[in-house]
Amino acid sequence: MYLTERETPEGLLVAICDDDVLGETFEEGELSLTVTEEFYGGESADEAAVVDSLARATVANIVGTRAVELAIDEGFIQAENVLEVDGTHHAQLLRMY
Protein backbone atom coordinates (compact mmCIF):
# COMPACT_ATOMS: atom_id res chain seq x y z
CA MET A 1 0.00 0.00 0.00
CA TYR A 2 1.01 3.61 -0.48
CA LEU A 3 0.68 6.05 2.41
CA THR A 4 0.87 9.84 2.40
CA GLU A 5 0.53 12.14 5.41
CA ARG A 6 0.03 15.90 5.19
CA GLU A 7 -0.26 18.27 8.13
CA THR A 8 -2.95 20.88 7.52
CA PRO A 9 -4.32 23.66 9.72
CA GLU A 10 -7.31 21.38 10.37
CA GLY A 11 -5.23 18.33 11.34
CA LEU A 12 -3.56 15.32 9.76
CA LEU A 13 -4.73 14.38 6.24
CA VAL A 14 -3.92 10.78 5.31
CA ALA A 15 -4.18 9.20 1.85
CA ILE A 16 -3.85 5.43 1.46
CA CYS A 17 -4.21 3.27 -1.61
CA ASP A 18 -3.47 -0.24 -2.76
CA ASP A 19 -0.40 -0.62 -4.97
CA ASP A 20 -2.45 -1.73 -7.98
CA VAL A 21 -4.82 1.27 -8.07
CA LEU A 22 -2.26 4.10 -8.08
CA GLY A 23 -2.57 6.03 -11.33
CA GLU A 24 -5.91 4.44 -12.22
CA THR A 25 -9.27 6.10 -12.87
CA PHE A 26 -12.51 4.39 -11.92
CA GLU A 27 -15.82 5.53 -13.39
CA GLU A 28 -19.36 4.42 -12.79
CA GLY A 29 -22.30 6.49 -13.95
CA GLU A 30 -21.66 10.07 -12.83
CA LEU A 31 -18.97 9.01 -10.34
CA SER A 32 -15.32 9.30 -11.23
CA LEU A 33 -12.39 8.49 -8.93
CA THR A 34 -8.82 9.15 -10.05
CA VAL A 35 -6.09 7.81 -7.79
CA THR A 36 -3.38 10.35 -8.63
CA GLU A 37 0.30 10.05 -7.84
CA GLU A 38 0.23 13.63 -6.53
CA PHE A 39 -2.36 12.86 -3.84
CA TYR A 40 -2.00 9.15 -3.07
CA GLY A 41 1.55 8.37 -4.14
CA GLY A 42 3.67 8.37 -1.04
CA GLU A 43 5.84 5.85 0.70
CA SER A 44 5.25 2.14 0.48
CA ALA A 45 3.79 1.10 3.84
CA ASP A 46 2.99 -2.10 5.67
CA GLU A 47 -0.25 -2.70 7.56
CA ALA A 48 1.19 -1.56 10.91
CA ALA A 49 2.22 1.82 9.46
CA VAL A 50 -1.20 2.28 7.85
CA VAL A 51 -3.00 1.48 11.11
CA ASP A 52 -0.77 3.91 13.02
CA SER A 53 -1.45 6.64 10.49
CA LEU A 54 -5.22 6.06 10.53
CA ALA A 55 -5.19 6.22 14.33
CA ARG A 56 -3.70 9.72 14.16
CA ALA A 57 -5.68 10.98 11.15
CA THR A 58 -8.21 13.78 11.26
CA VAL A 59 -9.23 13.05 7.66
CA ALA A 60 -8.38 9.99 5.58
CA ASN A 61 -9.05 8.96 1.99
CA ILE A 62 -8.68 5.23 1.39
CA VAL A 63 -8.83 3.47 -1.99
CA GLY A 64 -8.50 -0.20 -2.90
CA THR A 65 -9.86 -3.45 -1.56
CA ARG A 66 -6.93 -4.31 0.72
CA ALA A 67 -6.62 -0.81 2.23
CA VAL A 68 -10.35 -0.45 2.83
CA GLU A 69 -10.65 -3.95 4.32
CA LEU A 70 -7.80 -3.14 6.72
CA ALA A 71 -9.56 0.06 7.80
CA ILE A 72 -12.77 -1.91 8.39
CA ASP A 73 -11.00 -4.73 10.27
CA GLU A 74 -9.27 -2.20 12.54
CA GLY A 75 -12.53 -0.37 13.28
CA PHE A 76 -11.77 2.94 11.56
CA ILE A 77 -14.68 2.73 9.12
CA GLN A 78 -17.86 0.68 8.81
CA ALA A 79 -18.49 -1.58 5.83
CA GLU A 80 -21.85 0.06 5.09
CA ASN A 81 -20.05 3.38 4.49
CA VAL A 82 -17.80 2.03 1.74
CA LEU A 83 -18.42 3.21 -1.80
CA GLU A 84 -17.71 0.90 -4.72
CA VAL A 85 -16.76 2.61 -7.96
CA ASP A 86 -16.15 0.46 -11.04
CA GLY A 87 -15.02 -2.50 -8.95
CA THR A 88 -12.75 -0.74 -6.46
CA HIS A 89 -13.51 0.35 -2.93
CA HIS A 90 -13.30 3.88 -1.58
CA ALA A 91 -13.85 5.16 1.94
CA GLN A 92 -13.33 8.41 3.79
CA LEU A 93 -12.73 9.01 7.46
CA LEU A 94 -13.51 12.29 9.19
CA ARG A 95 -12.79 12.62 12.88
CA MET A 96 -14.60 15.55 14.47
CA TYR A 97 -13.48 16.93 17.81
Side-chain angles (χ1 to χ4, degrees), residues 35-58:
V35 188
T36 63
E37 175 78 31
E38 295 80 19
F39 188 77
Y40 288 95
E43 299 295 320
S44 183
D46 62 13
E47 290 185 358
V50 169
V51 169
D52 176 67
S53 187
L54 286 172
R56 295 179 290 109
T58 305

Side-chain angles (χ1 to χ4, degrees), residues 3-16 39 49-62 76 92-97:
L3 169 65
T4 301
E5 293 185 351
R6 294 175 180 88
E7 284 293 339
T8 73
E10 291 78 26
L12 181 64
L13 170 64
V14 173
I16 301 163
F39 188 77
V50 169
V51 169
D52 176 67
S53 187
L54 286 172
R56 295 179 290 109
T58 305
V59 176
N61 288 281
I62 310 160
F76 294 106
Q92 294 181 320
L93 166 77
L94 174 60
R95 204 171 266 124
M96 298 175 70
Y97 299 101

